[in-house]
Amino acid sequence: MGNGVSAIAAHGVRKRYAGAREKAALDGFDLEVQSGTICGLLGPNGAGKTTAVKILSTLLQLDEGRASVAGFDVTTQARQVREHIGLVGQYAAIDEILTARQNLVMFARLNHLSSRQAALRADALLEQFSLTETGKASASTFSGGMRRRLDLAASLIVSPSVLFVDEPTTGLDPAGRREVWAAIRSLVAAGTTVLLTTQYLEEADQLADRICMLKEGRVIAEGSPDSLKSALGGDWLDIVLRSDNDISVVAHLVKPVAQGDIDINHQDSRISVPIIDRTKALVAVAMALSEAGIEPEDLALRRPTLDEVFFHLTGPTGSENPLEVAS
Ligand SMILES: Nc1ncnc2c1ncn2[C@@H]1O[C@H](COP(=O)(O)OP(=O)(O)OP(=O)(O)O)[C@@H](O)[C@H]1O
Ligand SMILES: [Mg+2]
């Protein structure tokens, strides 16, 4: 696959689970992922992320629509699709009794490598994922981050051109999350196309070239992290005060940098200000507070949360209001 070629394409995919009385899990799902990029499929519980991954990796059949991976149709060329993909499921697939190295050798043998080839591949992957030193320990002793890295390593035994990773860091602490992010970045540097699902906007932001926001089986917004965020109103500056007394003074002071409605929470003595230019806003507010002789408990920049993103996209009543985002 050359430049500009879609490694993953889905058009109008519908899937309703047998016996499901509710809506379809995927309901007109469209997706296009360019070769050699990371796409983040973002959505809350039940949005259809795992269903999409299962259909694209041929574990599940679609009811309607079309999808192809690495140029092969998932319905009519499932075997070829499987030969070109790796899959890291939502729940770890490693064997706890085995060591990290034994796990990798086992996966390699299952992929028809000779025992010598399997040992070489296992050692190379242990090194790539910084697991060499712990390779001899039983996987049951591994931290969550190490398990996920081992899971990733196992999915790369045969160097897939497209890798699906379903919620790689759910339940991990920040250090574990960073370890997994580094591992995924190194894969893409080596040319693999990655479709990653996540519930965390920050994760998609850190890793993805493009983000697709999924809600009730449909993509409701799509774009680069930056374009998506600016369409969603940029960042927030949070100011937590030592008491509620100064809140109206501070609300007045921050007005010049506010790019929309200021959110005031009296209970927590917190003011949240929508901003665009992070550094300028932070400096201006810090100076204004200092001049007024007000020392805040906390002053911090933050990205919109997934909740806020969805609130912006769907509105308070939950009315569907698809957002066009420029690339
Ligand atoms: N095997 C199944 N049988 C019936 N319904 C299912 C099955 N698997 C998923 N669903 C339903 O399909 C919808 C989409 O589920 P899916 O697992 O794809 O969501 P998800 O985005 O991966 O969620 P999560 O973040 O919780 O993993 C949900 O309403 C879910 O209840
Ligand atoms: Mg899921």
Side-chain angles (χ1 to χ4, degrees):
M1 277 171 295
N3 280 343
V5 174
S6 294
I8 305 171
H11 298 290
V13 172
R14 254 181 75 84
K15 175 71 191 179
R16 182 193 291 270
Y17 287 97
R21 269 170 297 155
E22 290 173 36
K23 287 185 207 163
L26 288 181
D27 191 11
F29 173 73
D30 295 315
L31 181 72
E32 201 89 40
V33 182
Q34 298 297 303
S35 186
T37 66
I38 305 187
C39 173
L41 195 56
L42 192 69
N45 290 133
K49 302 181 297 294
T50 298
T51 304
V53 164
K54 283 185 173 167
I55 285 174
L56 293 168
S57 56
T58 78
L59 294 178
L60 201 62
Q61 292 215 334
L62 49 77
D63 297 337
E64 278 173 44
R66 291 171 59 92
S68 67
V69 174
F72 300 102
D73 188 285
V74 296
T75 307
T76 59
Q77 298 174 297
R79 185 177 54 79
Q80 289 94 323
V81 170
R82 277 182 223 128
E83 284 169 2
H84 287 81
I85 63 169
L87 171 64
V88 185
Q90 188 165 356
Y91 305 101
I94 55 176
D95 190 325
E96 301 251 322
I97 298 165
L98 302 179
T99 67
R101 190 170 185 280
Q102 286 168 336
N103 262 290
L104 293 180
V105 169
M106 176 188 76
F107 279 109
R109 297 289 282 154
L110 288 172
N111 279 285
H112 314 297
L113 267 65
S114 71
S115 58
R116 197 184 127 69
Q117 283 174 322
L120 287 173
R121 191 78 190 116
D123 289 333
L125 286 166
L126 287 171
E127 192 174 336
Q128 186 183 342
F129 286 90
S130 314
L131 289 166
T132 305
E133 281 180 21
T134 41
K136 292 190 188 76
S138 150
S140 61
T141 65
F142 279 20
S143 69
M146 284 157 78
R147 270 166 217 242
R148 284 317 259 176
R149 276 187 290 152
L150 181 56
D151 243 3
L152 276 171
S155 69
L156 296 172
I157 295 281
V158 288
S159 307
S161 62
V162 179
L163 181 68
F164 298 99
V165 198
D166 199 4
E167 298 203 24
T169 66
T170 298
L172 296 189
D173 64 19
R177 191 162 289 176
R178 232 162 281 138
E179 288 172 7
V180 171
W181 288 350
I184 292 175
R185 282 201 190 95
S186 71
L187 293 181
V188 175
T192 310
T193 305
V194 176
L195 178 70
L196 153 106
T197 78
T198 181
Q199 299 187 37
Y200 308 120
L201 182 67
E202 191 209 348
E203 177 156 288
D205 189 22
Q206 283 282 332
L207 288 176
D209 300 298
R210 295 188 77 77
I211 295 176
C212 284
M213 301 200 71
L214 197 61
K215 185 191 176 215
E216 293 172 5
R218 233 177 234 274
V219 174
I220 55 168
E222 199 265 334
S224 68
D226 278 347
S227 65
L228 211 43
K229 265 181 296 167
S230 49
L232 295 169
D235 296 333
W236 291 85
L237 179 62
D238 282 350
I239 307 152
V240 180
L241 299 171
R242 293 187 195 277
S243 83
D244 195 29
N245 299 340
D246 293 329
I247 219 156
S248 45
V249 178
V250 175
H252 183 72
L253 288 178
V254 299
K255 267 195 187 140
V257 300
Q259 299 291 324
D261 290 342
I262 297 165
D263 185 26
I264 298 177
N265 181 330
H266 286 282
Q267 206 178 342
D268 300 342
S269 306
R270 192 183 64 230
I271 299 181
S272 297
V273 190
I275 53 158
I276 299 289
D277 188 324
R278 294 160 64 86
T279 315
K280 238 186 213 165
L282 184 61
V283 169
V285 169
M287 278 176 60
L289 287 172
S290 165
E291 274 165 20
I294 297 169
E295 197 187 323
E297 178 79 36
D298 196 14
L299 180 64
L301 291 166
R302 69 177 169 87
R303 295 261 140 93
T305 63
L306 183 56
D307 284 351
E308 285 163 342
V309 171
F310 267 79
F311 185 77
H312 275 268
L313 283 169
T314 57
T317 57
S319 62
E320 202 120 328
N321 201 0
L323 185 90
E324 285 299 321
V325 181
S327 316

